[in-house]
């Protein structure tokens, strides 16, 4: 999940939460006079014109809003600097990879040195059409949606721009109905996964990075056409590790004021693990989730989180809401 940078406002997300169509909702002009271009329209036009000029670029997009995007930003920041950590230690993460759905992010894209990084949680149908005719490269980060629920729940409790998530059960139901920020997780991943097989698209998961960060970084480097030597590769792995990222003030979002991200109620970077949902879902919640998941994902390929882990504990049979002091995973 990418918290808003200081002074930024998500384009078209004036409300606390959004549906898949809300990012396109703009007030109609009923006055009979010619309306001035809205900030959203101006931002889209500027971003669209900018995209048409690009020959190489990397953008990270995550399956619905989840914090794993920031992990990918950290990895890419290090790869583009050949493993040198100076950039990630001196420039805030939201300036290294601006969010294209924020006004300030979109307007700062042209100021970024090439090759550029950008980030987005937008579903594919809302992404600028000019991108699809460019040579930009997309890395899509997927993650077990059950962990996404837990992560987004904690994030919603500390993010100033989002409404209180309510009880864990209420939030789970909203998630399954797509009534969360940026809409349905299922629609999001099904939209972007259609690009799989294209040479400028890489689908990778949080689970794969957790299992083999070294191998995953090599795979990303190959996709970008930026091979690294062993020393540089080792530096990328070491400095993008969860502990290093959590200790880096330029990456842990502690520079943001409490009005945007109130980390007094939980740090933005939480555990950095897979399968934490098992510590929070009840059996009933797990079964309800599985029913919707099977229906929504029918006909799609198997993802890493679809493989059963016999060694993992069963979901908690009794309700146990997530601790408010525990924020979302990176």
């Amino acid at each position: 999940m990418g918290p808003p940078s200081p002074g930024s406002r998500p384009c078209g997300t004036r409300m606390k939460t959004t549906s898949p169509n809300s990012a396109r909702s703009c007030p109609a002009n009923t006055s009979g006079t010619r309306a001035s271009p809205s900030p959203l329209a101006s931002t889209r036009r500027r971003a669209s014109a900018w995209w048409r000029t690009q020959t190489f670029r990397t953008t990270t997009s995550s399956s619905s809003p989840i914090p794993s995007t920031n992990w990918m930003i950290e990895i890419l920041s290090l790869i583009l600097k050949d493993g040198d950590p100076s950039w990630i230690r001196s420039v805030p993460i939201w300036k290294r990879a601006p969010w294209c759905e924020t006004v300030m992010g979109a307007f700062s894209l042209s100021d970024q040195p090439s090759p550029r990084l950008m980030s987005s949680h937008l579903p594919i149908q809302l992404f600028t059409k000019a991108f699809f005719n460019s040579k930009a490269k997309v890395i899509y980060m997927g993650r077990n949606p059950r962990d996404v629920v837990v992560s987004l729940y904690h994030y919603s409790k500390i993010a100033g721009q989002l409404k209180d998530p309510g009880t864990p059960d209420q939030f789970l139901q909203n998630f399954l109905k797509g009534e969360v920020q940026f809409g349905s997780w299922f629609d999001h991943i099904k939209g972007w996964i259609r690009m799989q097989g294209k040479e400028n698209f890489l689908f990778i998961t949080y689970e794969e990075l957790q299992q083999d960060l070294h191998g995953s970084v090599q795979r990303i480097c190959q996709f970008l056409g930026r091979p690294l030597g062993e020393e540089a590769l080792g530096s990328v792995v070491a400095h993008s590790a969860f502990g290093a990222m959590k200790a880096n003030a330029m990456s842990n979002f502690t520079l943001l004021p409490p009005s945007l991200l109130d980390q007094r109620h939980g740090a933005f970077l939480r555990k950095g693990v897979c399968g934490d949902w098992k510590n929070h879902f009840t059996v009933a919640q797990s079964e309800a989730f599985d029913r919707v998941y099977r229906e929504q994902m029918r006909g799609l390929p198997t993802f890493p989180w679809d493989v059963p882990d016999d060694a993992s504990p069963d979901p908690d049979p009794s309700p146990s809401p997530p601790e408010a002091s525990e924020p979302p995973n990176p």
Side-chain angles (χ1 to χ4, degrees), residues 2-21:
S5 56
S8 70
R9 178 179 65 82
C11 297
T13 53
R14 293 177 293 278
M15 297 173 60
K16 292 281 187 175
T17 59
T18 98
S19 68
N21 295 323

Side-chain angles (χ1 to χ4, degrees), residues 12 21 23 36 74 88 122 124 138 167 174 198 236 252 265 308 325:
N21 295 323
S36 301
E74 199 81 344
I88 67 168
L122 289 176
I124 196 167
V138 174
T167 67
N174 289 338
K198 295 183 180 296
V236 172
N252 62 18
H265 297 110
S325 62

Side-chain angles (χ1 to χ4, degrees), residues 206-217:
Y206 190 93
E207 288 75 16
E208 289 172 298
L209 266 64
Q210 279 282 355
Q211 184 177 15
D212 182 9
L213 182 56
H214 187 277
S216 296
V217 170

Side-chain angles (χ1 to χ4, degrees), residues 259-280:
S259 59
L260 289 179
L261 197 67
D262 193 354
Q263 298 202 58
R264 295 171 300 184
H265 297 110
F268 175 65
L269 302 183
R270 186 169 63 109
K271 295 182 179 179
V273 299
C274 299
D276 189 46
W277 67 273
K278 296 172 185 176
N279 297 317
H280 303 298

Side-chain angles (χ1 to χ4, degrees), residues 63 66 68 140-144 189 203-207 305:
S63 54
I66 55 173
S68 54
Y140 187 98
M141 278 283 287
R143 190 179 185 185
N144 188 332
I189 194 170
F203 179 85
I204 195 167
T205 66
Y206 190 93
E207 288 75 16
W305 53 80

Side-chain angles (χ1 to χ4, degrees), residues 103-150:
V103 174
M104 288 188 65
F107 274 80
S108 68
L109 294 177
S110 58
D111 298 328
Q112 302 295 316
S114 184
R116 301 170 176 89
L117 297 176
M118 67 171 285
S119 304
S120 180
H121 287 313
L122 289 176
I124 196 167
Q125 71 270 19
L126 297 185
F127 210 71
T128 176
K129 299 301 182 286
F131 155 74
F132 299 98
N133 295 318
S134 74
K135 295 182 180 179
K137 295 188 175 183
V138 174
I139 298 176
Y140 187 98
M141 278 283 287
R143 190 179 185 185
N144 188 332
R146 300 164 186 82
D147 280 330
V148 173
V149 173
V150 174

